[in-house]
Amino acid sequence: MLVIRLILVFSYNLDADGAEFTFVHYIQKLLTGKQFYSNPTTYPYSTVLYTPLYLYIVFFITKLLQLDYLTNIHEIYIVGRSVSFVCVLASIYVVDLIIKKQQSNRLTRLLAVFVFLLIMSGHAFVLRPDGMKILFFLLFLHQYLNYFFYDKKIRNAVLLLLFAGLSFLSKQDVFVYILLFSFMHFLISKTKKSFLIVFMLCFLFFLVSFFLKMIFGEYTFINLFNFNLQSISNIKSSYNLLVVLFNSARFLPVLTILLFSFYKIRNENEMQLKLLIIAALFSFCMTTFFLFRPGSFLNYTYESSILLMYALFLIFNKYKYQFRLLLIIYFAVFFGSNLRIKNYRYFPSKEKKYKIEYHEFSVKKKQILPYIESHASIFTPQLQLGIFYADLNIIYGHEYHLDRHIYSLLGIHTTSKLMLNKSTQFDEEFLIGNVKYILTYDKKEVNEVVKEFYLNYKLKQKFDSTILYEFIK
């Protein structure tokens, strides 16, 4: 599993998982010295949806290696994927530390690592902050359990706050699960110690948010929160429903065991096990709700999956593995579901194709540039084309119509609408011709999007698999 993901670090695929090219755009913003959290409601509508820690670490490494934002795009991918891969390796070490608190058997610890890798989708290994967020979430969980159930030292409290803050700085959605976990503990234990941790975590997130705004400017939270709040207008016609059903089916046996076990131990003095079961169940409900956000996938399930699986481990450790065979069968089926979504699959023939296509982009750009007026605005419905034209006047704003972007890219349906911002001004740019060109792949889905939503744009020139449209009122 890890060897395949290591090989994919060096893939020329522009999107090995999770819209990696979006994060290349973020790195390009940093490398060109542009404002990181700029105003996403005005031209060029560039939005950064994530907190900055992972992105700045990748940026600093690219600067250290003196990588160019246009000529070293593949190398930027390698740097970002390498950082994520190292974070996953470090996470494996932390998982082992957590399991050793309960079980020293090497085979059991190895099984725990295997299960951890099962619940990590491809998003954790690519140029995205998910792997780093999970590392710090696991470190938070490790220190939290140490502080309340094992070492019980002040140092553990300091470290759990530190790792909670770093996890938030890696990807902001994690604060929901951290607060949920600590709040559930307070409700169960009703101790001053647990209440103090809840209070300090809330204050920590407020403090970190305050400093983010102080450092990055007034548009920080418009980027981080406003443009993440997307709603679905038609659940039945959206792929999100299938993702929810798929995730629920995978964890149904675990949920059943957890509910039954909680009923069985409800009167016992098993504080840690009760906490893990309740936090896992509530986290799963929270995850299911978040999975209905347009653009969401299994990376939204990481925190709840970790809690579910660790609670399951504690239950089987308590009852001496009475259902070991059933557990092995379940994990085998879980592994099969991962193969279905291509988490650990490598296709040499496709990799050769990706490399050829990558090198063709520079050739095509030389062919396309003479057809584009100087300083004219260009829109790429499939954003991965835009990273090769970052030196031109590219317009972004894909979050305004995330459903169009997802359909153009993946050919799957969803319905999206920003909850706090309207797309009127963004749409006007295309109606009056402020955006002169649309540059796309020659692909059925993206051609349908241009034909349906960009009526004033007509074919100007075709370059093999790339099409240039021009505004003609």
Side-chain angles (χ1 to χ4, degrees), residues 91-109:
S91 296
I92 290 173
Y93 175 72
V94 181
V95 167
D96 187 54
L97 288 179
I98 294 173
I99 295 300
K100 279 196 296 187
K101 295 289 184 181
Q102 294 286 334
Q103 178 62 255
S104 60
N105 182 273
R106 288 186 178 181
L107 183 61
T108 303
R109 290 158 54 191

Side-chain angles (χ1 to χ4, degrees), residues 166-438:
L166 290 173
S167 189
F168 177 74
L169 283 172
S170 300
K171 196 165 182 274
Q172 67 271 27
D173 61 339
V174 73
F175 87 96
V176 175
Y177 297 98
I178 288 177
L179 287 181
L180 177 64
F181 184 83
S182 57
F183 186 67
M184 288 296 108
H185 186 203
F186 167 67
L187 290 181
I188 297 170
S189 64
K190 297 182 176 62
T191 63
K192 292 180 180 179
K193 193 175 178 180
S194 60
F195 173 78
L196 182 61
I197 290 297
V198 173
F199 174 79
M200 293 181 71
L201 284 169
C202 291
F203 180 73
L204 172 69
F205 291 135
F206 170 80
L207 194 64
V208 172
S209 300
F210 173 77
F211 278 109
L212 282 176
K213 187 172 182 180
M214 290 289 292
I215 294 169
F216 292 101
E218 59 182 312
Y219 303 115
T220 303
F221 293 113
I222 297 177
N223 281 266
L224 293 178
F225 296 104
N226 290 28
F227 278 77
N228 270 302
L229 294 176
Q230 299 261 5
S231 63
I232 294 177
S233 58
N234 190 336
I235 292 175
K236 291 182 179 180
S237 64
S238 174
Y239 81 94
N240 299 77
L241 182 59
L242 294 176
V243 176
V244 168
L245 294 174
F246 176 77
N247 188 60
S248 300
R250 296 207 304 174
F251 283 104
L252 182 60
V254 181
L255 296 170
T256 304
I257 291 173
L258 263 58
L259 286 169
F260 175 76
S261 300
F262 185 78
Y263 176 78
K264 194 172 181 179
I265 67 167
R266 66 190 186 281
N267 295 323
E268 297 181 19
N269 186 24
E270 290 279 357
M271 178 60 69
Q272 184 180 352
L273 183 54
K274 287 180 181 178
L275 168 62
L276 263 298
I277 291 175
I278 292 175
L281 293 173
F282 274 92
S283 294
F284 180 82
C285 294
M286 188 68 70
T287 289
T288 303
F289 174 74
F290 287 153
L291 281 175
F292 282 106
R293 177 195 179 276
S296 64
F297 194 58
L298 295 178
N299 61 309
Y300 280 54
T301 70
Y302 289 154
E303 294 90 346
S304 63
S305 299
I306 288 170
L307 295 176
L308 284 167
M309 289 302 194
Y310 186 54
L312 181 67
F313 171 82
L314 291 180
I315 290 168
F316 278 91
N317 188 54
K318 176 179 175 63
Y319 295 108
K320 308 303 180 186
Y321 306 99
Q322 294 175 6
F323 306 100
R324 185 178 297 176
L325 180 60
L326 291 176
L327 191 66
I328 293 172
I329 294 172
Y330 169 66
F331 288 143
V333 173
F334 204 103
F335 180 73
S337 72
N338 278 359
L339 292 179
R340 177 65 180 169
I341 58 176
K342 302 179 181 178
N343 268 2
Y344 305 102
R345 298 175 71 178
Y346 175 75
F347 304 96
S349 58
K350 286 188 177 182
E351 292 303 320
K352 291 179 181 178
K353 178 185 173 184
Y354 295 142
K355 186 173 183 179
I356 292 171
E357 289 178 345
Y358 176 86
H359 289 296
E360 284 179 348
F361 277 116
S362 59
V363 177
K364 288 181 182 178
K365 185 175 180 180
K366 292 177 182 178
Q367 296 173 347
I368 293 170
L369 283 179
Y371 292 87
I372 298 175
E373 293 179 9
S374 179
H375 304 298
S377 296
I378 308 168
F379 179 64
T380 56
Q382 296 166 305
L383 183 56
Q384 67 263 53
L385 267 178
I387 63 177
F388 291 91
Y389 296 83
D391 56 331
L392 302 184
N393 198 12
I394 298 291
I395 183 173
Y396 300 96
H398 296 78
E399 290 77 17
Y400 280 101
H401 299 291
L402 194 58
D403 48 356
R404 300 179 194 175
H405 180 50
I406 291 172
Y407 184 68
S408 297
L409 181 66
L410 302 173
I412 57 178
H413 293 277
T414 188
T415 54
S416 69
K417 182 181 179 181
L418 281 169
M419 298 170 65
L420 299 179
N421 292 86
K422 295 182 179 180
S423 65
T424 307
Q425 182 177 328
F426 176 76
D427 295 334
E428 186 74 12
E429 305 282 3
F430 295 87
L431 293 174
I432 65 177
N434 284 347
V435 181
K436 180 73 172 177
Y437 302 104
I438 294 178

Side-chain angles (χ1 to χ4, degrees), residues 13-24:
N13 189 351
L14 297 178
D15 186 20
D17 221 305
E20 287 183 283
F21 45 82
T22 303
F23 300 88
V24 173

